[in-house]
Amino acid sequence: MSVRVYIPRDSGALSMGAEAVAGAVAAEARRRRADVAIVRNGSRGLYWLEPMVEVATESGRVAYGPVTSDDVGSLFEAGFLAGGKHRLALGATDEIPYLKRQERLTFGRVGIVDPLSLDDYLEHGGYRALERALELSGAQVVEELSASGLRGRGGAGFPAGIKWKTTLQTEAKRKYIVCNADEGDSGTFADRMIMEGDPFVLLEGMTIAGIAVGATQGYIYLRSEYPHALRTLNAAIAAAAARGYLGENVRECGKPFRIEVRVGAGAYICGEETAMLESLEGRRGMVRYKPPVPAVEGLFGAPTVVNNVITLASVPVIIEKGGNFYKDFGMGRSRGTSPFQLAGNLKHPGLVEKAFGVTLSELVYEYGGGTASGRPLRAVQVGGPLGSYFPASMLEVAMDYEAVAAQGGILGHGGIVVFDDTVDLARMARYAMEFCALESCGKCTPCRIGSTRGMELIDHIIGNRDRAANAALLRDLCDTMTNASLCALGGLTPLPVMSALKHFPQDFGLPGERA
Amino acid sequence: MDIHHLARMANQISEFFATGMEREAAVTSTANHLRNFWEPRMRREIIEYAKNDGAELGEVARAAVLTLE
Amino acid sequence: MQSIDDQDLGTPAAKSEQLVTLEIDGREVTVAAGTSIMRAAALADVQIPRLCATEALAPFGSCRLCIVQIEGRNGFPASCTTPVDAGLKVRTRGERLEGLRRNVMELYMSDHPLDPFQCKAGGKCELHQMAAAVGLEQMRYPAGHNHLDLPVDDSNPYFAFDPTRCILCSRCVRACDEVQGTFALTIDGRGFSSLMSPGQHQHYADSECVSCGACVQACPTDALMEKSLLERGMAERAVITTCGYCGVGCSFKAELRGDRIVRMVPNRNGLPNHGHSCVKGRFAWGYATHPDRALKPMIRKRISDPWTEVSWPEAIDYAASEFKRVQKQHGRGAVGGITSSRCTNEEAYLVQKLVRAAFGNNNVDTCARVCHSPTGYGLKTAFGTPAGTQDFDSVNASDVLVVIGANPTEGHPVFASIMKRRIREGARLMVIDPRAIELIRMPHVEADYHLQLQPGTNVAVLNALAHVAVTEGLANERFVGERCEPAEYAAWKKFIVEQRNSPEAVERMTGVPAEKIRGAARLYARGPNSAIYYGLGVTEHSQGSTAVLAMANLAMVTGNLGRPGVGVNPLRGQNNVQGANDVGSFPHELTGYRHISDPKLRAEFEAAWGAKLDPEPGLRIPNMFDAALDGSFRGLYVEGEDVAQSDPNTHHVTAALSAMEIVVVQDIFLNETAKYAHVFLPGSSFLEKDGTFTNAERRISRVRKVMEPLAGYEDWQVTCLLSNALGYPMEYSHPSEIMDEIARLTPTFSGVSYEKLDRLGSVQWPCNAEAPEGTTVMHVGQFVRGKGRMLVTEYIPTDERTSARYPLILTTGRILTQYNVGTQTRRTRNVLWHLEDRLEIHPHDAEQRGIREGGWVELTSRAGATTLRAQLTDRVPAGVVYTTFHHPESGANVVTTENSDWATNCPEYKVTAVQVMPTRRIPERPTAEQIIRAAEQQIGK
């Protein structure tokens, strides 16, 4: 029997040379006439160890990493096919503390299965949730979801059950499920890992949503920068359709559900749900006002559930194991788990799926291992480019929607970017405004013009021109953007700016704020 | 006036009515139409023509014209 | 910029009948459910600052000035996009709100020229108004990035776009999308780089823009401004009047500075157009003061003599004496008159009155003869009244729209925009036309069926549609049973189910695949609300009247009459073609379509007019020409119509005119017909007089004098002068007295008066004691004539057939920027868009003949020949060629024949057998550059 060797096909691993490693393993195996079956899995999310090669041994999967193609010969020499000792050996994969201490519900199969194999998915419990959902009424499915306490993982944290219920209860000839896969936040990669590592779980979640609320068509709005995800998703959709998991009569239940992938054109704003709908309809990605909310009047004017990849990918585990199972994780009003994505200046960047409530400090130090540079950590930006900067003194904050908000931040899509003491927060604040000026849809004035003015004011402050007055004006501008912008882009851009001003005034040449 | 033109116009009228009704009704309808829409000098000339030659007039048209006097 | 006296409530009215009460700034307000907070506040006289909102467009929520606070809700919702809710407590004022608004306004002004004196919109600039309203007093931002050095786009002949003044409110883009439906504009780029752009970085002139002016009207600043305003200054007052171009009859505000007109802007309260316009009515009014205007009366003994300018009395006396002389020598019936569909109801009424009372005969006709006379015959025969059955707004209740032989986006653009909007809302569209008109496929509009029939086979296709409806069990037997003549229905049904009327049987002859006809018939019959709109492609045929009857049959058998959303509706070409017909312009009918032979009716008119009336019908226009060549017709009074250019078979017409002894032309220009005239009486444009026009939906609207008549008299006054000189006195001090006389004598008009028109804006006839405010939908419950008539409509092919010598069929049409024979539009900057008429020919036919794009071709028919440049296109099918007829030198009517509709003598313009061959005899015509130069000179650029 051949030995299964796992070499990730995940973009992160590929960027570290996984393709060459896979080639080298295959060549070396041929040369040695070793009976090897290479499985191109997703990433386990331990990115500092990528490419991480795993071997299925009798005692389970063992890992080696980070492997380069130059290491392949020595790995064979060391008998890695039988779990042999090597300087890159990491031992049993599941016992790696970084993984072991996680609570992988949504990411349960990522890195384990072959993302293109429907059989593999089924063997690992896939589509059990759909089978259960088909036995329930739409309302029962929605109830289960509501019971789980699942909130939108895209950033806004809106209860998914309420969205679904609204769409379910809105009468219409046609309804849609739209998956927001326009993962544009800096330092985030959870959506991509799901789509590249376990695409069927997303398809299953969308199918459950469609059957439950009465939608017949699903769209995955994928950012253009994810070509591998596109290929994987399309292959998975074809495989699911070929076996009746998608199509005119899903699993003989009498209801149709189809999924198509639509690729964006590089606009960050299209991650905003209404701009995304405009884009899907073939128009310029421009934010719509709400209400009406998409759940009532969304794509092509029809009731539409718009959920993020992680939200939808979390549905199967909830439906399979029950809302209460999921709800038992987490704290306060933040139930279940969230994939925190550790990035920036860290020793151990990667994906950590943990129940809500884990502290920022745990994530950054215990998982992330502190700064990669070894210099003192100075700031952590939580929640993407529109998230607040937390100073090193505030890392005890629990990762929970409300707790983070209480500290003036947002959890967003779970992106965590770490900076050491070489960072200049005034520059970072300027960057936030610049980002907004570039990525604003241009519809509302506070965002369109305010962002450019903000950038200019920070330049003046940095350049010490009328510093105090311009700083006061900047604060006033931020207040206007927060309160008068049409959507979250203009509304949240002040967060990194104001947090930088508040916690790092010296970077702006300003005196410290009185507590 | 150009009698060929008048004859052709009269024929067109009679053709419409002749396709939709019995001959007698078609003759009456054609005559009524001529009476309602044709100026007297046009009618005079077509009557004159129908009486003396009328070769270019269709059967119903001619019959209708002859009832106009 | 909106009209100077428009009241704008910020967002469109809600349609709900349910009422909601809320509290705004402590005041209780009750409004329709679905109303925006902004509108509710405005209704209660609470003005919330705004820039991107206007009641002409759906709310957008971009400017963020209209934010309010709502008790119990977070944040600062925009009042334009937030609907009212029962019991809401809304605050529109307060330091927090006002501070935010001021800050937003400060951001606007940080990328806008600061000096308000530089603003070309003066006090009407909404940006500056709002800056004052929110109390913006300082600019705290240091100078920064801006868009103040962008170049102005003045490529459009009528308006300029200055991007430095643009505030990115998208009102222009939304107006182009929502109101006009052309989708020519967009916001290009993202973020701070966002710019309004026609097409993709195009100039206006190179884009899809159709110059309807909606964007310019929607613009709150001086970014988009009419050049006329830039040149002449801002308006001081506005006069509401009615457009003088097509039969849509848009209501306009003529804006004036002093006594000078500075722009025409559509009237938001105008019921035909609801504030929309097209390039002609909105911009092409410069002809009224064009140097070509002939302003002096002139006479000459012979048409070969030069004109002599004379005084008004001399011209009038000469004309009258000549008419009297001719009548004395050649009989009472030797003279006649033509009323104008371009003039007012009152003027058309006076001309026919002059003919009947002063000339003492009924030789009066109008240009409806050559366009919609079959509509008059057909609809009167079938339903009892010769007019469209609906109002325009009826479209908003239609599920299926059928367009037959009409090209609304070119000919009736404002109505086309209403149709397009309905189609975008989900209505289905079927087009029956030999040519692939624009409506078949354009942004967000696509016809479900295009029945591309051979010219001249309308009746066969209409019969086949009815055949399918009846044989497939889709007839509405209950409707027909209750509403139609049973014996005629039985006879018709027997006829229509015959196999020869089946789609399969007519497929070959019509060129339309049978399955398409079947599908289209099912679509129409199933509706549930199906409406037919048609144009001259139906009427201008030898079977024009039969086709109108066939449409009426189709509507009756499927029950598509007598309620909103259905009906049979002519799209009238001229502003007042309906009205001219209504007020007695046809030779056989007095006002209200009552036959002259009725002694009781005549007695009534004789008593009122104090004149003896001839009981016999008079000559129709083509009959007049025939009689002229015969020598029995020698004098003609033509008001506002260019028969020499617009009537078919030009050689025949000019020979007839040349044979006359006294031709009196009353017109604003020395038109083609004036070349054959002995007396020229200067006319007045629609801007120079009072009166009324009646549009295609029977709507009577006021025309109001905007400026004094340039030649001294309004047209109705000239007719009075001539009548007085003829010895029949006409004494009116104002056109309202003429309308009062029409109302006294006409049952369908008895409730019409200027007082009522001023009060209601407009009314649709019938307007009388039973319907004091007029009638929107006709034939509700029963037809005007009682039971509807369904006559057998046998298809009889026209005599005009192709042959080896004339193997192609010529059909004609229009283009958006030009109007009919171009007398007016060629004297405006519109000519820049259409320098010449071209002959559209299918590439296949062109290749066979060696014809190249733009090459000169000779177009020959049995009647004559002319020379045009070819345009290769597959909009026309092989075997069919097409041209417009806006330029006199194109001579389209040189080739059209004397064939005509059997019932009405309406010419068969739409079918002429022709040959087309390349020619080396290039006519002496100006080059494009010369035309442009001449045009620019004319328009004083």
Side-chain angles (χ1 to χ4, degrees), chain A residues 90-274:
Chain A
L90 301 164
T93 315
D94 291 340
E95 294 303 317
I96 299 173
Y98 197 92
L99 260 183
K100 192 177 183 183
R101 285 188 293 148
Q102 294 193 28
E103 287 137 333
R104 287 213 163 179
L105 302 183
T106 305
F107 281 72
R109 281 179 218 87
V110 177
I112 294 172
V113 295
D114 174 355
L116 295 183
S117 166
L118 179 53
D119 286 326
D120 213 1
Y121 183 67
L122 293 169
E123 276 169 29
H124 286 83
Y127 279 121
R128 274 188 216 153
L130 176 64
E131 303 297 348
R132 175 156 185 249
L134 291 176
E135 289 162 13
L136 302 177
S137 70
Q140 286 170 316
V141 172
V142 172
E143 217 167 281
E144 199 75 81
L145 191 71
S146 298
S148 76
L150 180 68
R151 291 164 70 175
R153 298 290 188 252
F158 188 81
I162 294 179
K163 249 188 210 185
W164 286 31
K165 192 173 179 185
T166 307
T167 302
L168 171 68
Q169 289 175 345
T170 305
E171 295 280 332
K173 276 191 217 161
R174 199 176 296 176
K175 297 179 186 180
Y176 296 99
I177 307 296
V178 171
C179 170
N180 186 345
D182 193 46
E183 186 174 44
D185 281 2
S186 42
T188 63
F189 43 81
D191 294 352
R192 183 183 56 70
M193 277 182 63
I194 285 282
M195 293 185 286
E196 292 179 354
D198 189 14
F200 290 108
V201 78
L202 173 59
L203 305 188
E204 184 177 1
M206 288 178 73
T207 308
I208 291 167
I211 302 284
V213 305
T216 54
Q217 176 72 48
Y219 290 103
I220 299 172
Y221 188 91
L222 182 68
R223 72 185 305 222
S224 61
E225 295 86 344
Y226 283 176
H228 297 291
L230 174 64
R231 277 196 290 277
T232 306
L233 283 171
N234 278 331
I237 289 168
R243 303 264 288 269
Y245 287 95
L246 287 172
E248 296 314 306
N249 187 3
V250 174
R251 299 300 288 160
E252 309 290 320
C253 77
K255 293 176 186 166
F257 190 73
R258 298 165 295 266
I259 296 178
E260 278 178 49
V261 183
R262 291 293 162 90
V263 180
Y268 177 74
I269 194 59
C270 288
E272 195 283 336
E273 62 175 356
T274 61

Side-chain angles (χ1 to χ4, degrees), chain B residues 1 8 12 33 36 41 43, chain C residues 333 595 616 630 632 899-900:
Chain B
M1 286 197 235
R8 190 167 151 210
Q12 276 184 293
H33 191 92
N36 282 337
R41 79 191 87 169
R43 300 208 302 264
Chain C
H595 204 275
E616 290 286 354
D630 208 28
S632 69
N899 286 344
S900 66

Side-chain angles (χ1 to χ4, degrees), chain C residues 3-5 235-240 253-256 265:
Chain C
S3 184
I4 53 166
D5 53 1
E236 296 160 346
R237 64 194 172 96
V239 178
I240 294 176
K253 288 183 177 176
E255 291 192 347
L256 297 140
V265 58

Side-chain angles (χ1 to χ4, degrees), chain A residues 284 440 445 453 456 479 484, chain C residues 64 96 108 110 145 187 189 191:
Chain A
R284 182 171 186 274
S440 162
T445 314
R453 296 291 166 255
E456 293 163 353
D479 176 64
Chain C
R64 317 312 289 171
R96 181 78 173 118
Y108 270 119
S110 74
H145 292 85
I187 303 293

Side-chain angles (χ1 to χ4, degrees), chain C residues 51-78:
Chain C
L51 277 171
C52 70
T54 158
E55 68 174 38
L57 300 169
F60 193 57
S62 81
C63 77
R64 317 312 289 171
L65 281 184
C66 73
I67 50 172
V68 292
Q69 286 175 300
I70 300 173
E71 203 176 287
R73 291 195 194 174
N74 285 335
F76 303 90

Side-chain angles (χ1 to χ4, degrees), chain C residues 744-760:
Chain C
R744 274 199 301 279
L745 289 167
T746 316
T748 45
F749 275 62
S750 63
V752 180
S753 70
Y754 277 32
E755 179 276 319
K756 186 177 283 181
L757 292 173
D758 288 342
R759 185 157 44 85
L760 299 180

Side-chain angles (χ1 to χ4, degrees), chain C residues 132-161:
Chain C
V134 304
L136 180 68
E137 284 168 349
Q138 55 166 347
M139 171 54 58
R140 293 173 294 171
Y141 293 102
H145 292 85
N146 58 58
H147 299 90
L148 299 181
D149 53 358
L150 294 171
V152 173
D153 172 5
D154 65 353
S155 61
N156 187 286
Y158 293 110
F159 56 85
F161 172 54

